Amino acid sequence: MSLEEQFDVLIIGCGMSGIAAGIRLSMYQKRVLIVDSHNAPGGLNGFYFKDGRKFDVGLHAVTNYVEPGIKGTPLQKLLRQLRINRDELDLCPQWGSRIAFPEVSLRFTNDFTVLEQEIAEAFPAQIDRFRRFVQHMDAFDALAYEGPVLSARSELGAYISDPLLVDMLMCPLCYYGSARNDNDMDFDQFIVMFRSVFREGFCRPFEGVRKIIKVLLDRYRSLGGKRKMGCGVARLLKDGQRIAGAVLEDGSQVYADLVLSSAGLGETLKLVDAALVPTHNIGTMSFVESIQVISNQPESLGMDDTIVFFSRSDKFRYETPAEPLDLGSGVICVPNNYAFGSDRALPEGMIRITAQADYNYWSRLNDADYLRSKEEWFMRLQQVLTFAYPKLDLAALNRQELARDVFTPKTVERFTRHFNGAVYGAPQKKKSGQTDYENLILIGTDQGFLGIIGSLLSGISMANRYGLTGI
């Protein structure tokens, strides 16, 4: 067996968790190979080119933003663990975001006291209850590898008596992290996302997600890490209760002492044996997102929020819709609306709208119907902008259009191979990372850390726990 075929660690997936794990292991002279079935790195948070433009996939914002010098935070931890200089990432904080319901809006920024004040003004009878709930979260160990699965709605309801405020708090966190299809999310996931979104906040590199990917890949290459792109794992090779290696899609074989997989729980087990896939734990929550590029800054049209999480009903619903697309709630993101500095602005305006979608509808369309449906639902989805911005002139907006695109659950499935195009993977996470095979470990979405910062920390923590034991 040649050196090129034998590795200490094989990593499945060149997304955020995979690259982070690769960096961490390579720092300690581990021989690491990352394989990915696609040519472009980034996974759920990548980018693509269309008609000469670069479009981010997944990235609305980097969460967990804190100002430089603040220690003991997830951002600071991952920078230290990967030995990356913060300035390399060029993180620019948000202007400010909103949760918009029919009668009430709550603003929030990267200063948590802004949200507290908004709740105090809109829900004066609930503010003390809200603060006690925050204390309750602070006392809960959300990162424990083992523990009971609790309902976030139930925990909220035990403290906050107004169902509208409960729904307003659930809306952003479900959209940014719930794999459940029942209008709820796990309480530990809720706590992690609450800290990520509200207590710390949003930022974005000026160049978008490709800046983060470049910094990570440069670091990985500098440490001697190897990648094989456009060639994923066809099947994993069993040796009793261990995985000996993998047969790749080009027919070649590689062997490793440890396998870290960001493919997802069911998707990973399918590579061992299709009969192992846990049919009771398959994710179904997927989304459609429209992207519209315009000639001017969206702020000139009155769109001055960074992100708007909206529900057109007082009762927020988070479940697979009966229609191809649920226009009742969603996320509006304006990538231009970050504090890039007085001398920088994105050269074109961009508006992204995300909504819950039915995978079954989109996956069954033939090519012609698929293109027609994308165009139809782009136009219908655009109408929700006037809920968040009642004075917005859609005709004026469309006269400025330079380009548009739409991705669907079918797109997610194609580029991630997640069952059902499920963005957040399986509802039941494996926080320990362990599978039934002692050296086959999950990282990323189904290990349970979500978002860019969460994915990076997932790769780091699993690499530390299973790949660097005793070092």
Side-chain angles (χ1 to χ4, degrees), residues 8 16 242:
D8 295 313
M16 297 294 172
R242 292 180 61 82

Side-chain angles (χ1 to χ4, degrees), residues 361-428:
Y361 170 82
W362 292 96
S363 65
R364 293 170 182 168
L365 295 174
N366 61 41
D367 289 348
D369 288 341
Y370 182 69
L371 293 175
R372 279 195 295 270
S373 286
K374 288 210 299 183
E375 182 64 20
E376 174 192 348
W377 284 97
F378 175 91
M379 300 304 296
R380 295 181 66 177
L381 189 56
Q382 191 187 52
Q383 299 297 314
V384 304
L385 290 173
T386 58
F387 173 79
Y389 300 100
K391 296 181 180 179
L392 178 65
D393 184 341
L394 285 179
L397 169 65
N398 288 329
R399 284 194 295 271
Q400 296 184 27
E401 183 177 290
L402 301 174
R404 67 169 64 165
D405 200 13
V406 176
F407 78 71
T408 74
K410 193 172 180 178
T411 316
V412 177
E413 180 184 49
R414 177 185 174 191
F415 286 99
T416 69
R417 300 192 178 180
H418 279 191
F419 298 152
N420 302 317
V423 170
Y424 299 126
Q428 299 167 29

Side-chain angles (χ1 to χ4, degrees), residues 125-139:
Q126 301 295 315
I127 185 58
D128 290 338
R129 293 171 176 266
F130 173 74
R131 288 174 175 145
R132 287 196 295 272
F133 176 68
V134 172
Q135 292 173 348
H136 172 56
M137 288 193 292
D138 288 344

Side-chain angles (χ1 to χ4, degrees), residues 55 66 77 86 120 137 245 255 257 259 290 329-330 336 371 402 406 416 443 459:
F55 294 91
V66 291
K77 177 181 177 181
R86 177 187 173 123
M137 288 193 292
Y255 300 89
D257 299 323
V259 179
S290 67
S329 68
N336 305 74
L371 293 175
L402 301 174
V406 176
T416 69
I443 58 176

Side-chain angles (χ1 to χ4, degrees), residues 290-309:
S290 67
I291 305 173
Q292 187 175 29
V293 181
I294 60 175
S295 55
N296 293 327
Q297 299 293 314
E299 183 188 14
S300 67
L301 296 168
M303 303 180 68
D304 55 358
D305 301 291
T306 303
I307 300 174
V308 179
F309 301 90

Side-chain angles (χ1 to χ4, degrees), residues 435-455:
T435 69
D436 291 338
Y437 296 87
E438 59 187 57
N439 67 330
L440 176 60
I441 305 299
L442 300 177
I443 58 176
T445 301
D446 279 1
Q447 185 270 322
F449 292 174
L450 300 169
I452 288 179
I453 300 299
S455 294

